[in-house]
Amino acid sequence: MLQIRRIGVRLAGLAATILVIATINFILVHAAPGDPASVMAGQSGATDEKFLAQVRADYGLDQPYIVQLGTYLGKVVQFDLGYSFRQRRDVADLILERLWPTLLLTLTAFTLALAGGIFLGALAGRRAGRWSDTLISMGALLLYATPVFWLGLMLVLVFSIQLGWLPAFGYVSIRSESFSTWRYITDVAAHLVLPAVSLAAIYMAVYTRLMRSSIIEVSHEDHVKTARAKGLTEGRILRRHMLRNASLPVITFAGLQAGAMIGGAVVVETVFAWPGLGRLTYDAVLQRDYPVLLGLFLVMSVLVILVNLLTDLIYRMIDPRLAAR
Amino acid sequence: MNRREFNHLLFMSGAVAVSGAGLGRPAFAQAAEGGLTAIIQPEPPILQLALNQQTPTGVVGGKIYESLLSYDLKLTPGPQLAESWEMSEDGLTYTFHLVRNAKWHDGAPFTAADVVFTCDDFLKEVHPRARATFERCESITAPDDYTVVFKLKEPFAPFLLAFETSSAPMVPRHLYEGEDYRNSEHNQTPIGTGPFKFNEWVRGSHIHLQAFDEYYREGEPHLTEIYYRVIPDAASRSVALETGEAQLAQWGDVETFDVERLSALPHLTMTTQGYEFFSPVSWLEFNCRNKPMDDKRFRQAVMHLIDREFIRDRILFGLAKVATGPIASTTRFYDGDVKQYELSIEKATALLDEMGLTPGSDGNRVTIDYPVPPYGETWVRTAEFIRQALAQGGINVNLISTDVAGWASSVSNWEFDITTNMLYQFGDPALGVARTYVSSNIRKGVMFTNTAGYSNPEVDRLFAEAAVATSDDTRQALYSEVQKLLVEEVPVAWLTENQFPTIYDNRLEDLIVSATGVNANFASARYAG
């Protein structure tokens, strides 16, 4: 019973959070100077009053502010993300077709960064002070300092232009409609490599450094000394006694960064022409496509909340002390 | 040097170093096989050309939709959906005879009823520019299935230029009649009469067009399909051309500093032809309501201070001509015999002194606000250059950077002192030029009107008479006079006639054959045998 009540409270809290976020988003978006009508007018090259009035009516901009907010929140409650008059399509459709590429890219990058970071960090931590540690630490520092778009362009230069191994941009080859399922999957995978590596690099560097210091710290703790005194092998000590404890700070940090990654994909998506949410956001900001922008903010907030929940769960799995509490 | 420029430099030097080593070859180059892959940037929001006239929509939509006429590189009207046409002596009646075997992409025949519906109903409802044109008509009628008659209320000389595809795209009556045009589901699957039909649009990735095998012109189109790929990053767009992954880039797809390098590649060609219909002129606009911009001498002084050849050579990398006045030299009725403003700080300061605008203790005569148009690096650099140029005359310029919405709203609501802008000419001074200078077009809140607030009854009269005159000689005389007058008055300081590079695969032939170039239908484009 208690458990169900706790989950209920938590869910109610989430719903309230989402509504507050929606309100803040709305205020922020509408607080920016300039209106969508003049942007659209500017882009069509020639315009008249009738056109401007039409656009304002479409977006409800001719309504009082508070009415607009009410209409918007009313729609959010019904899970209606609205309609983009600019693209003449439902916002939910626009976001849904971009959601998968973004999730694929960020999850791949995230896994890559986490696995690579934990592995390299553990390796460096175990060999602290030796040349392999120095090499890994230096590499991590270098990666951390490299701007993402520059790294992306360099990877394209080497792997696409010079070596010709991987495609330079895009999500899948054109003419993919004639591909077999297997060919389609490998084609997407080939397109995924460079952007995922670019996006993962900086986070991998962070996790490597975190993991390294964490391993060094843990290796001085009593239970590790005990394990060593029991005569366990070094490999077993690392796997059973050190990794779990040392991973905690990395998981905490990764949970925080998972949210940032979704937003941070904008640059990578632009460089690699990856059709994801980041670019949709960027375009929507430039074009003042309010319904799309609000929809995106909301979906991203929900994603971040979900990631936080997931991090909590993983945390409990790794550190059973938390679940017991 | 800002961060972006620095990185471009870094990237370029890297590119040169690696390619200098002679490694590798373009690996992802695709065989022609009759298909074309082109770049599109930014991604158009919609492909229904009647509802949106942005450049990318025009580029893609121009393959799907057609209008009655086409225009050669000298802007002479030629047949498209109309195979012939005549104008009555008094210039009031235009009769178009339509091609008889044109079809919509869904198989329905194209007839005069479609033209009447499009011009008299659809476009008047949704298309600001077409609305202005067709509201001049007293009636639009179809005496038979293949004849359309436009009766004007008074003569309008550039009427024959109103039938370019993005100015008046024909839409199918059988699909749209009785629908809510703006929100109709047919907007998602555009149906036109053009040589290419819409197949698929993967948002954020590409748009796929296929050759329409029932196209009315025998043996056309030659290309089997066109893919428009969305590539948002400029460096990636260059890579796509370099590797042969894309065979065509147009408008501003390639950064000005990259044009020379790409056009020098053996498999690529560059041309600046095919933009004559648009022929944009860029200028420094004054808010003529505010002091000291309301004084002609101030505006003339600014003309004397700006080195426009520098802008052409160093900012636009040669992709421009110095403008001499309001009408582009690529347009009919251009007259270059106007007052010249040589670069001269002395003349500028003399004019400023004469109007009593003396320097203060800090050397500044006046401080003015300049919202910078947020359309990319070129405009920012131009703004920075203009600030330095005007400082030489003691005019202190305060650069304000905003996003597109902020800039458009401050310019259209007249909340600026000076700004830069670039307007299309649409083939005739009455369509694309007069709108900036006539006082009847001072409309607050509306962009691309006479936002400078310039008002001169003589200019109004000349433009009005030239628009309704039926003889080209009369029109030339009137436009020559108005050009002399405007250049003397400087309501805006003309900078350059901007050119755009079209970079394409050498093997492509008959690609740019009209004044709308890459926006035209590509029916004749093909790969060399």
Side-chain angles (χ1 to χ4, degrees):
Chain A
M1 265 321 274
L2 200 68
Q3 201 65 17
I4 293 171
R5 236 186 89 186
R6 251 167 65 179
I7 293 172
V9 168
R10 180 125 199 199
L11 283 179
L14 281 183
T17 313
I18 290 172
L19 271 188
V20 170
I21 289 172
T23 311
I24 294 174
N25 285 345
F26 182 88
I27 292 169
L28 280 179
V29 164
H30 286 78
D35 74 317
S38 49
V39 178
M40 287 174 75
Q43 283 156 343
S44 60
T47 123
D48 58 5
E49 282 88 348
K50 187 175 173 190
F51 179 79
L52 291 175
Q54 175 67 41
V55 175
R56 294 211 174 90
D58 278 353
Y59 280 87
L61 293 169
D62 48 355
Q63 303 283 320
Y65 204 65
I66 195 77
V67 175
Q68 290 184 47
L69 176 63
T71 317
Y72 173 64
L73 289 180
K75 282 185 180 168
V76 168
V77 171
Q78 300 167 40
F79 300 104
D80 176 2
L81 292 182
Y83 185 77
S84 163
F85 291 97
R86 189 186 166 73
Q87 309 216 21
R88 310 255 159 219
R89 297 186 65 204
D90 279 332
V91 173
D93 290 348
L94 282 171
I95 294 179
L96 265 182
E97 62 188 23
R98 300 293 189 95
L99 189 62
W100 165 242
T102 286
L103 285 181
L104 180 66
L105 174 64
T106 40
L107 285 179
T108 311
F110 187 67
T111 318
L112 200 65
L114 209 55
I118 290 179
F119 175 75
L120 289 173
L123 201 69
R126 291 289 294 152
R127 305 180 177 190
R130 285 196 267 166
W131 68 267
S132 49
D133 169 41
T134 317
L135 198 71
I136 291 171
S137 299
M138 288 280 288
L141 197 66
L142 210 66
L143 270 190
Y144 186 68
T146 310
V148 174
F149 62 94
W150 188 82
L151 180 70
L153 288 175
M154 282 302 144
L155 288 176
V156 167
L157 206 60
V158 175
F159 292 100
S160 304
I161 300 186
Q162 293 310 322
L163 298 172
W165 290 351
L166 292 164
F169 50 77
Y171 173 74
V172 66
S173 300
I174 50 177
R175 299 181 177 82
S176 61
E177 58 267 43
S178 64
F179 288 4
S180 64
T181 314
W182 177 243
R183 169 112 193 263
Y184 187 87
I185 292 171
T186 49
D187 192 65
V188 171
H191 281 85
L192 181 63
V193 176
L194 295 184
V197 167
S198 309
L199 187 60
I202 202 165
Y203 295 99
M204 188 150 91
V206 173
Y207 302 146
T208 304
R209 284 150 58 89
L210 264 177
M211 192 66 193
R212 178 181 174 273
S213 56
S214 185
I215 283 276
I216 292 174
E217 203 174 298
V218 171
S219 67
H220 297 301
E221 279 184 15
D222 291 344
H223 74 275
V224 175
K225 285 182 187 156
T226 313
R228 202 163 276 143
K230 282 198 299 190
L232 294 181
T233 62
E234 280 301 309
R236 195 173 164 79
I237 294 173
L238 181 69
R239 280 196 307 274
R240 305 280 306 181
H241 297 273
M242 287 168 73
L243 271 185
R244 199 172 254 222
N245 285 308
S247 304
L248 290 177
V250 177
I251 305 284
T252 313
F253 207 70
L256 286 174
Q257 288 201 327
M261 224 175 200
I262 294 166
V266 177
V267 176
V268 172
E269 287 181 1
T270 305
V271 171
F272 290 98
W274 191 263
L277 289 183
R279 261 176 59 207
L280 186 64
T281 317
Y282 185 71
D283 290 343
V285 169
L286 285 189
Q287 296 156 349
R288 293 293 169 91
D289 199 340
Y290 287 169
V292 175
L293 210 51
L294 288 170
L296 280 164
F297 285 164
L298 200 67
V299 167
M300 287 191 192
S301 323
V302 173
L303 279 180
V304 171
I305 290 173
L306 288 178
V307 167
N308 282 342
L309 270 179
L310 202 69
T311 319
D312 272 8
L313 282 176
I314 295 174
Y315 222 98
R316 275 154 203 260
M317 268 160 51
I318 292 182
D319 188 353
R321 287 173 300 176
L322 279 175
R325 239 177 252 163
Chain B
M1 198 186 311
N2 64 24
R3 205 183 64 155
R4 199 171 139 196
E5 286 171 88
F6 174 75
N7 285 306
H8 269 298
L9 199 71
L10 210 58
F11 178 55
M12 287 316 148
S13 59
V16 170
V18 182
S19 55
L23 294 161
R25 309 200 112 229
F28 280 85
Q30 280 163 353
E33 287 170 18
L36 171 70
T37 304
I39 291 170
I40 192 74
Q41 172 60 26
E43 184 169 23
I46 184 174
L47 294 178
Q48 204 339 335
L49 196 47
L51 292 174
N52 181 294
Q53 292 85 46
Q54 276 175 260
T55 307
T57 317
V59 169
V60 183
K63 314 291 173 281
I64 302 168
Y65 292 98
E66 289 185 322
S67 191
L68 300 187
L69 302 175
S70 64
Y71 304 89
D72 71 10
L73 296 173
K74 295 208 156 26
L75 294 166
T76 316
Q80 199 165 70
L81 281 170
E83 55 187 11
S84 64
W85 55 94
E86 61 256 9
M87 180 185 91
S88 65
E89 287 279 314
D90 57 5
L92 286 174
T93 311
Y94 289 80
T95 310
F96 292 88
H97 305 284
L98 308 179
V99 294
R100 286 174 180 260
N101 52 346
K103 279 186 176 160
W104 296 103
H105 294 157
D106 64 358
F110 164 79
T111 67
D114 290 308
V115 181
V116 173
F117 168 74
T118 301
C119 297
D120 207 20
D121 198 340
F122 196 102
L123 293 178
K124 269 191 191 168
E125 175 65 29
V126 302
H127 191 310
R129 214 143 37 77
R131 172 155 58 231
T133 306
F134 294 118
E135 273 172 357
R136 294 173 179 273
C137 294
E138 199 175 86
S139 70
I140 304 173
T141 49
D144 65 62
D145 269 3
Y146 297 99
T147 312
V148 185
V149 180
F150 294 81
K151 275 206 164 56
L152 302 187
K153 294 172 188 158
E154 58 173 343
F156 183 56
F159 191 68
L160 280 180
L161 284 156
F163 294 95
E164 175 269 332
T165 303
S166 71
S167 309
M170 294 299 141
V171 296
R173 184 176 87 133
H174 66 283
L175 295 180
Y176 279 106
E177 196 165 42
E179 296 247 326
D180 171 4
Y181 305 149
R182 286 188 182 81
N183 298 316
S184 163
E185 61 183 54
H186 298 299
N187 296 337
Q188 297 307 325
T189 48
I191 299 277
T193 58
F196 295 93
K197 59 180 185 187
F198 173 79
N199 178 45
E200 184 197 33
W201 183 358
V202 181
R203 303 246 168 186
S205 174
H206 64 265
I207 299 166
H208 183 209
L209 308 179
Q210 275 175 331
F212 178 44
D213 42 24
E214 291 181 84
Y215 188 58
Y216 56 90
R217 285 176 68 171
E218 201 59 43
E220 292 187 342
H222 301 285
L223 297 173
T224 54
E225 59 183 348
I226 306 178
Y227 278 96
Y228 278 102
R229 298 210 69 171
V230 185
I231 310 176
D233 184 68
S236 303
R237 290 197 289 277
S238 293
V239 166
L241 286 172
E242 223 168 320
T243 57
E245 200 160 347
Q247 292 100 43
L248 170 67
Q250 61 264 315
W251 292 97
D253 288 345
V254 171
E255 298 266 8
T256 44
F257 57 76
D258 238 5
V259 171
E260 206 180 313
R261 184 178 70 84
L262 288 175
S263 6
L265 292 175
H267 70 289
L268 294 175
T269 301
M270 194 275 280
T271 178
T272 56
Q273 281 197 324
Y275 298 94
E276 292 77 6
F277 190 83
F278 312 101
S279 289
V281 175
S282 79
W283 58 61
L284 180 68
E285 181 168 324
F286 301 100
N287 187 344
C288 296
R289 303 164 191 87
N290 294 3
K291 279 189 181 317
M293 284 73 67
D294 60 344
D295 193 316
K296 169 173 111 180
R297 290 168 294 185
F298 180 82
R299 307 193 297 256
Q300 289 175 333
V302 169
M303 277 297 264
H304 281 299
L305 285 172
I306 299 175
D307 183 353
R308 297 175 295 159
E309 284 168 11
F310 181 92
I311 296 179
R312 178 194 65 195
D313 298 337
R314 302 274 172 252
I315 297 177
L316 300 170
F317 291 83
L319 285 168
K321 267 201 239 177
V322 167
T324 60
I327 297 178
S329 61
T330 42
T331 315
R332 293 200 305 161
F333 310 121
Y334 165 78
D335 192 338
D337 181 22
V338 291
K339 181 172 174 178
Q340 305 294 317
Y341 292 88
E342 72 271 30
L343 191 63
S344 163
I345 298 177
E346 292 74 38
K347 288 199 173 164
T349 44
L351 281 164
L352 295 171
D353 287 339
E354 188 191 316
M355 57 186 280
L357 206 63
T358 47
S361 54
D362 57 355
N364 287 343
R365 295 168 193 266
V366 64
T367 296
I368 53 178
D369 285 342
Y370 180 170
V372 182
Y375 289 109
E377 290 292 302
T378 309
W379 294 99
V380 176
R381 281 180 228 165
T382 306
E384 285 163 355
F385 175 69
I386 286 173
R387 179 177 59 183
Q388 285 182 4
L390 298 196
Q392 296 175 309
I395 301 166
N396 183 28
V397 174
N398 187 16
L399 296 183
I400 301 167
S401 45
T402 55
D403 67 345
V404 178
W407 176 76
S409 99
S410 65
V411 175
S412 61
N413 290 303
W414 312 338
E415 290 151 2
F416 69 102
D417 288 328
I418 58 172
T419 188
T420 21
N421 207 343
M422 179 174 87
L423 260 70
Y424 293 167
Q425 305 240 319
F426 297 123
D428 191 281
L431 296 172
V433 180
R435 58 180 170 152
T436 307
Y437 309 101
V438 296
S439 40
S440 58
N441 204 26
I442 301 179
R443 292 184 286 167
K444 193 168 191 173
V446 189
M447 202 53 203
F448 300 106
T449 53
N450 181 353
T451 41
Y454 175 76
S455 173
N456 182 337
E458 184 63 9
V459 169
D460 292 351
R461 182 185 70 81
L462 289 168
F463 272 123
E465 283 180 16
V468 299
T470 46
S471 123
D472 280 356
D473 292 340
T474 319
R475 298 193 74 202
Q476 180 67 61
L478 291 163
Y479 282 127
S480 289
E481 203 179 333
V482 85
Q483 284 173 82
K484 285 195 176 62
L485 184 58
L486 283 172
V487 174
E488 169 66 27
E489 289 265 304
V490 204
V492 304
W494 301 280
L495 302 174
T496 47
E497 295 177 11
N498 293 39
Q499 298 173 339
F500 295 96
T502 300
I503 300 183
Y504 60 96
D505 193 308
N506 283 341
R507 294 170 295 174
L508 284 165
E509 283 181 347
D510 293 336
L511 185 73
I512 305 299
V513 291
S514 75
T516 52
V518 290
N519 288 33
N521 67 16
F522 282 0
S524 63
R526 62 199 155 91
Y527 283 99

